Amino acid sequence: MSKGKKKPSLAVVGATGAVGTVMLSILSERKDVWGEIRLIASARSAGKKLVCRGEELTVVALSPEAFDGIDVAMFDVPDEISAKWAPIAVSRGAIVVDNSGAFRMDPKVPLVVPEVNPKAAKKRPKGIISNPNCTTMSMIVAMGALHKKFELKELVVASYQAASGTGQPGIDGLRDQISKIAGSNAGEATSDVRKFIKDTSPFPAPLALNVIPWAGSLSEAGYTSEELKVRNESRKILGMPKLKVSATCVRVPVLTTHSLAVHATFKNVVTRKAAQRILEKAAGVILLDDPENKKFPTPNDVVGTDPTWVGRVRQSLDDKKSIDLFLCGDNLRKGAALNTAQIGELLAVELTK
Amino acid sequence: MSKGKKKPSLAVVGATGAVGTVMLSILSERKDVWGEIRLIASARSAGKKLVCRGEELTVVALSPEAFDGIDVAMFDVPDEISAKWAPIAVSRGAIVVDNSGAFRMDPKVPLVVPEVNPKAAKKRPKGIISNPNCTTMSMIVAMGALHKKFELKELVVASYQAASGTGQPGIDGLRDQISKIAGSNAGEATSDVRKFIKDTSPFPAPLALNVIPWAGSLSEAGYTSEELKVRNESRKILGMPKLKVSATCVRVPVLTTHSLAVHATFKNVVTRKAAQRILEKAAGVILLDDPENKKFPTPNDVVGTDPTWVGRVRQSLDDKKSIDLFLCGDNLRKGAALNTAQIGELLAVELTK
């Protein structure tokens, strides 16, 4: 592993995928902390040429040797690929930052959001750091800032999740449904779109002109895997294993950017102004909360941006220690590639000390 | 007022509007409890012919005399028209069932949902009965049934409200936006629809491929009028003036049928099975809750039907007295015309006793 002044080397595993593509543009936009950047993908994509930091790079096939000389490896691949290959990368000397679900709840793997728990990245007995699920990420930067000041007790969350949370098939499926509906009389009297679309999307019901209370797979006690990720990952990132969290995850006909309605209860009184002051100053958060002028975030305003946008901050009328708010975050940027890049930057600083 | 065996007479005020139109078809579908049905609208619509119960009826202009001989008058008109004309109808001998917001919070006017508080309809010192707001209505039949068994303590609600909640301009606006987007490249990489649509809809942001955390007007402490209706009307219908209620109301790109994610806390333990058993038997409720087979309600399944559909029932993992659920109700039927018709039927029974 290179120490001292030399810039560390980076591998991007899954460089040709949806998140990998966003990662290459994020690496090109941000402060350049990396020496060599090596692009790794499946054998099928090997030899492909991609541009990063203005340079053309040739994709190499995933193999143990592909990690030789690499200091940090960012994985944007399915769970089973990460589960197999992250330990191999570690055995070749790399620190892995993994964006899959394979290691997130492993007690020996830290789950890191640099604005919330950067120190957790330092203790990584397996040489692996996990990146949270995009729905948890949509709220955790803002909730972490409020927690530091007011001490969280409970979160009740309802999500408005974008189609791209299921990757490119979700985006294609929604766009396809919308073209079909626009060319038909669907919803003339009702919103009965079923008869107009033969659905090939990854969703369990039509998504155009509809909402679907389902994301992920069936898990414990009727909750979906996505709903339990919101609970379990929030607890781990905040270091609060007993935090009460209830989530209902709902897919909405938006292409990219997840939104959440959050009802948060704290140990201390939280006025609207006090919450707004914390959110205004919080790193990675933009407060857009001017209801007099109908200013609040919507996915359409937020898509393509890095921060978590927060609006509609209200102190509950029935509990001075509770607030309601609405927030939006781009699920492909901070929700995936950006946070991975930020964790990588923490490691780059550590490695060049 | 006609007593005895004679069927009571009914006036439909606002017969040519969006809810009035649904009302005429509901009156044609349900058990025929009415003698004369008189259609009343603005002078502009007088003389228009509409069909109800298979008969052609001529619309008469709104005037004090239009209520002569009428036992029950159903009002589906804006707040200010109801505020002025409901007392005039009462002075002419009619009992008014009003679907506007004009009298809902008046302590001398009962707010009635026949499945929940039918007896409240009997005490009407002003001769007026109010019909709840459509968002409250979407959940109150189901929550009322659960409350009877488990005793409600707190409701946290996030809504997914349809465009038709703002009437015909909302429906037209959303349909227009969807056609424009389908013919463009909007959302090719992002969901930036703003540049493709010149918005003439009643919404404060684009609604196609977006969600908007705003419904109604700005009210108290940053809450919207719609959010406070959910709180205040739920309290009044359930007869619980201190019930804790927090709501965040969000408009979604659905034409008709409101959905709500509800986190409800009770005085007593509520298992998933126990909640399901109550909902299965509750009048006006359909339980569609089979996550193993991905069965849960969506607006697209529910539109055009009368009941409240409930699914995704889960006991909170962190509190045995809390449940999470997702429900859908057609905002133009039970949310407006149907409940008004049901209140009218209670009165018809009373008047023919």
Side-chain angles (χ1 to χ4, degrees):
Chain A
M1 200 181 289
S2 60
K3 294 258 173 189
K5 296 281 168 205
K6 206 179 150 230
K7 282 183 175 182
S9 55
L10 173 70
V12 177
V13 186
T16 56
V19 176
T21 305
V22 176
M23 179 62 84
L24 297 193
S25 80
I26 283 176
L27 289 170
S28 305
E29 291 162 19
R30 293 180 70 86
K31 190 174 167 220
D32 188 12
V33 298
W34 303 106
E36 181 195 354
I37 292 184
R38 194 177 300 168
L39 308 186
I40 300 178
S42 64
R44 212 184 30 200
S45 296
K48 207 172 166 181
K49 290 182 193 307
L50 294 172
V51 174
C52 185
R53 300 186 298 190
E55 286 172 64
E56 198 176 68
L57 300 173
T58 304
V59 175
V60 301
L62 182 58
S63 74
E65 297 70 31
F67 294 101
D68 288 345
I70 290 296
D71 295 314
V72 174
M74 296 175 180
F75 276 64
D76 290 309
V77 293
D79 292 8
E80 61 279 12
I81 310 284
S82 279
K84 178 177 174 189
W85 286 91
I88 296 173
V90 171
S91 75
R92 294 277 164 162
I95 305 168
V96 169
V97 186
D98 181 38
N99 190 32
S100 84
F103 301 100
R104 282 184 196 138
M105 296 314 298
D106 184 329
K108 291 189 175 157
V109 174
L111 184 63
V112 175
V113 180
E115 293 88 344
V116 182
N117 62 341
K119 284 179 193 158
K122 291 188 180 166
K123 214 176 150 186
R124 41 181 194 262
K126 288 198 170 169
I128 302 171
I129 299 172
S130 271
N131 195 56
N133 170 266
C134 52
T135 310
T136 309
M137 193 75 88
S138 304
M139 68 165 181
I140 204 71
V141 176
M143 299 323 295
L146 291 168
H147 168 59
K148 260 178 210 162
K149 178 75 181 176
F150 305 110
E151 287 188 70
L152 258 180
K153 273 182 64 187
E154 183 172 9
L155 289 171
V156 179
V157 176
S159 76
Y160 302 73
Q161 295 186 223
S164 61
T166 62
Q168 198 59 41
I171 298 179
D172 296 343
L174 176 56
R175 292 189 62 78
D176 182 48
Q177 291 179 8
I178 284 186
S179 339
K180 281 176 186 147
I181 282 163
S184 78
N185 283 327
E188 192 59 60
T190 70
S191 61
D192 183 12
V193 299
R194 265 179 218 274
K195 48 189 161 192
F196 294 94
I197 55 175
K198 204 180 164 187
D199 202 1
T200 54
S201 78
F203 309 113
L207 187 58
L209 293 179
N210 205 18
V211 301
I212 308 172
W214 195 262
S217 53
L218 182 58
S219 191
E220 193 185 339
Y223 286 90
T224 62
S225 55
E226 191 83 358
E227 289 159 353
L228 292 190
K229 282 174 187 174
V230 172
R231 175 170 175 259
N232 297 334
E233 296 184 16
S234 296
R235 289 172 157 200
K236 184 166 177 177
I237 296 163
L238 296 172
M240 303 179 78
K242 303 263 180 181
L243 182 67
K244 290 169 80 173
V245 183
S246 275
T248 296
C249 289
V250 179
R251 192 78 60 188
V252 296
V254 165
L255 289 168
T256 297
T257 291
H258 289 350
S259 305
L260 276 74
V262 179
H263 178 80
T265 303
F266 298 85
K267 274 204 185 135
N268 299 294
V269 169
V270 188
T271 65
R272 186 171 175 225
K273 279 255 176 291
Q276 287 170 326
R277 266 197 302 267
I278 295 296
L279 293 166
E280 238 163 22
K281 291 181 301 185
V285 172
I286 291 183
L287 179 72
L288 179 65
D289 189 15
D290 178 10
E292 282 80 4
N293 295 304
K294 301 257 176 81
K295 288 196 173 164
F296 34 73
T298 77
N300 183 243
D301 302 304
V302 164
V303 65
T305 68
D306 288 343
T308 301
W309 294 61
V310 187
R312 301 296 327 280
V313 179
R314 293 147 290 161
Q315 184 184 38
S316 170
L317 295 170
D318 300 318
D319 181 355
K320 291 192 162 119
K321 297 177 178 177
S322 290
I323 57 170
D324 291 297
L325 48 78
F326 183 83
L327 36 77
C328 300
D330 186 319
N331 51 303
L332 298 183
R333 291 183 70 88
K334 181 64 178 172
L338 174 62
N339 197 69
T340 305
Q342 288 175 295
I343 296 171
E345 289 165 11
L346 291 179
L347 295 172
V349 170
E350 183 186 318
L351 294 171
T352 48
K353 251 182 197 155
Chain B
M1 201 181 288
S2 61
K3 294 259 174 187
K5 296 281 168 202
K6 207 179 149 228
K7 282 183 173 179
S9 56
L10 173 71
V12 177
V13 187
T16 56
V19 176
T21 305
V22 175
M23 180 63 83
L24 297 193
S25 80
I26 283 176
L27 289 171
S28 307
E29 290 161 20
R30 291 179 72 84
K31 191 174 166 219
D32 187 13
V33 299
W34 303 107
E36 182 195 354
I37 292 184
R38 196 177 298 168
L39 307 187
I40 301 178
S42 65
R44 211 183 31 201
S45 295
K48 206 170 166 180
K49 289 181 196 309
L50 294 172
V51 174
C52 186
R53 300 187 298 189
E55 285 172 65
E56 197 178 69
L57 300 173
T58 304
V59 174
V60 302
L62 182 58
S63 74
E65 297 71 30
F67 294 100
D68 288 344
I70 291 296
D71 295 313
V72 174
M74 297 176 179
F75 277 65
D76 290 309
V77 294
D79 292 7
E80 61 280 12
I81 311 284
S82 279
K84 179 177 172 191
W85 286 91
I88 295 173
V90 171
S91 74
R92 293 278 165 162
I95 305 168
V96 169
V97 186
D98 181 39
N99 191 32
S100 84
F103 302 100
R104 283 185 195 138
M105 295 316 296
D106 184 328
K108 291 189 176 159
V109 173
L111 185 64
V112 175
V113 180
E115 293 88 343
V116 183
N117 62 341
K119 285 180 193 157
K122 291 188 180 165
K123 215 176 151 187
R124 41 180 195 263
K126 288 197 170 170
I128 303 171
I129 299 172
S130 271
N131 196 56
N133 171 267
C134 53
T135 310
T136 309
M137 193 74 88
S138 304
M139 69 165 179
I140 204 71
V141 176
M143 300 323 295
L146 291 168
H147 168 58
K148 260 178 208 160
K149 178 77 180 175
F150 305 108
E151 286 187 69
L152 259 180
K153 274 181 65 186
E154 183 173 9
L155 288 171
V156 178
V157 176
S159 75
Y160 303 73
Q161 295 186 222
S164 62
T166 62
Q168 199 59 43
I171 297 178
D172 296 343
L174 176 56
R175 291 188 64 78
D176 182 49
Q177 290 179 10
I178 284 187
S179 342
K180 281 177 185 146
I181 283 163
S184 78
N185 283 328
E188 193 59 60
T190 70
S191 61
D192 185 12
V193 300
R194 264 178 218 274
K195 47 189 161 192
F196 293 93
I197 54 175
K198 204 180 165 187
D199 202 1
T200 54
S201 79
F203 310 112
L207 186 57
L209 293 180
N210 205 18
V211 301
I212 309 172
W214 194 262
S217 53
L218 182 60
S219 191
E220 192 185 341
Y223 285 90
T224 61
S225 54
E226 191 83 357
E227 289 158 353
L228 292 190
K229 283 175 187 175
V230 172
R231 176 171 175 259
N232 298 335
E233 296 184 17
S234 296
R235 289 172 156 199
K236 184 166 176 178
I237 296 163
L238 296 172
M240 304 178 77
K242 303 264 180 181
L243 182 67
K244 290 169 78 173
V245 184
S246 274
T248 296
C249 289
V250 179
R251 191 77 60 188
V252 295
V254 165
L255 289 168
T256 297
T257 293
H258 289 350
S259 306
L260 276 74
V262 180
H263 178 80
T265 303
F266 297 86
K267 275 204 183 131
N268 300 293
V269 169
V270 189
T271 65
R272 185 170 175 226
K273 278 255 176 290
Q276 286 171 326
R277 266 197 301 269
I278 295 296
L279 293 166
E280 238 163 21
K281 291 182 301 186
V285 173
I286 292 183
L287 179 72
L288 179 64
D289 189 15
D290 178 10
E292 282 80 4
N293 295 303
K294 302 256 176 80
K295 288 196 174 164
F296 33 72
T298 77
N300 182 244
D301 302 303
V302 164
V303 65
T305 68
D306 288 343
T308 302
W309 294 61
V310 187
R312 302 294 328 279
V313 179
R314 293 147 290 161
Q315 184 184 38
S316 170
L317 296 170
D318 301 318
D319 180 356
K320 292 192 163 115
K321 297 178 178 176
S322 291
I323 57 171
D324 292 297
L325 47 78
F326 182 82
L327 35 78
C328 300
D330 186 320
N331 52 303
L332 298 183
R333 292 183 69 90
K334 182 63 179 172
L338 174 62
N339 198 68
T340 305
Q342 289 175 296
I343 297 171
E345 290 165 11
L346 291 179
L347 295 172
V349 170
E350 184 186 317
L351 292 172
T352 48
K353 252 182 196 156

